[in-house]
Coordinates of all heavy atoms in Angstrom, one line a residue:
G1092 N -46.5 141.9 47.3 CA -45.5 142.0 48.4 C -44.5 140.9 48.5 O -43.8 140.7 47.5
N1093 N -44.3 140.3 49.6 CA -43.3 139.4 49.9 C -43.3 138.2 48.9 O -42.2 137.7 48.4 CB -43.4 138.9 51.3 CG -42.4 137.9 51.7 OD1 -41.3 137.7 51.1 ND2 -42.7 137.1 52.7
G1094 N -44.4 137.6 48.6 CA -44.5 136.6 47.6 C -44.2 135.2 48.2 O -43.7 134.3 47.4
S1095 N -44.4 135.0 49.5 CA -44.1 133.7 50.0 C -45.0 132.6 49.4 O -44.7 131.5 49.2 CB -44.2 133.6 51.6 OG -45.5 133.8 52.0
N1096 N -46.2 133.0 49.0 CA -47.1 132.1 48.4 C -46.7 131.8 47.0 O -46.9 130.7 46.5 CB -48.6 132.6 48.4 CG -49.2 132.4 49.8 OD1 -49.5 131.3 50.2 ND2 -49.3 133.5 50.6
L1097 N -46.2 132.8 46.3 CA -45.6 132.5 45.0 C -44.5 131.5 45.1 O -44.4 130.5 44.4 CB -45.0 133.8 44.4 CG -44.0 133.7 43.3 CD1 -44.6 133.1 42.0 CD2 -43.3 135.0 43.0
A1170 N -52.1 136.1 44.5 CA -51.4 135.6 45.7 C -50.8 136.8 46.5 O -49.7 137.1 46.3 CB -50.3 134.6 45.4
G1171 N -51.7 137.4 47.2 CA -51.3 138.6 47.9 C -51.3 139.8 47.0 O -50.4 140.7 47.1
M1173 N -52.8 143.2 46.1 CA -53.6 144.1 46.9 C -54.3 145.1 46.1 O -54.4 146.3 46.6 CB -52.7 144.7 48.0 CG -52.0 143.7 48.9 SD -53.0 142.5 49.6 CE -53.7 143.4 51.0
L1191 N -56.3 134.0 46.9 CA -56.1 133.4 48.2 C -56.4 134.5 49.2 O -55.9 135.6 49.1 CB -54.6 133.1 48.2 CG -54.0 132.7 49.5 CD1 -54.5 131.3 49.9 CD2 -52.4 132.6 49.4
H1192 N -57.2 134.1 50.2 CA -57.6 135.1 51.2 C -57.4 134.6 52.6 O -57.7 133.4 52.9 CB -59.1 135.4 51.0 CG -59.6 136.5 51.9 ND1 -59.3 137.8 51.7 CD2 -60.3 136.4 53.1 CE1 -59.8 138.5 52.6 NE2 -60.4 137.7 53.5
P1193 N -56.8 135.5 53.4 CA -56.4 135.0 54.8 C -57.6 135.0 55.8 O -57.4 135.7 56.9 CB -55.3 136.0 55.2 CG -55.7 137.2 54.5 CD -56.4 136.8 53.2
V1252 N -51.5 131.2 59.5 CA -52.3 131.3 58.2 C -51.4 131.1 57.0 O -51.7 130.4 56.1 CB -53.1 132.7 58.1 CG1 -53.6 132.9 56.7 CG2 -54.2 132.7 59.1
H1253 N -50.2 131.7 57.1 CA -49.2 131.5 56.0 C -48.9 130.0 55.8 O -48.8 129.5 54.7 CB -48.0 132.3 56.2 CG -48.0 133.6 55.5 ND1 -48.0 134.8 56.2 CD2 -48.0 133.9 54.2 CE1 -48.1 135.8 55.3 NE2 -48.0 135.3 54.1
E1256 N -51.6 128.5 54.0 CA -51.7 129.0 52.7 C -50.7 128.3 51.8 O -51.0 128.0 50.6 CB -51.5 130.5 52.6 CG -52.6 131.3 53.2 CD -52.4 132.8 53.1 OE1 -51.2 133.2 53.1 OE2 -53.4 133.5 53.1
Ligands
LIG1215 C1 -51.4 136.2 52.2 O1 -51.7 136.0 53.6 C2 -52.6 136.3 51.4 O2 -53.7 135.5 51.9 C3 -53.0 137.7 51.5 O3 -51.8 138.4 51.4 C4 -50.8 137.6 52.0 C5 -49.6 137.5 51.0 O4 -48.5 136.9 51.5 N1 -53.9 138.1 50.5 P1 -47.2 136.6 50.6 O5 -46.9 137.9 49.8 O6 -47.6 135.5 49.6 O7 -46.1 136.2 51.5

Side-chain angles (χ1 to χ4, degrees):
N1093 179 21
S1095 68
N1096 284 288
L1097 162 67
M1173 304 308 280
L1191 172 66
H1192 185 75
V1252 166
H1253 264 113
E1256 290 183 331

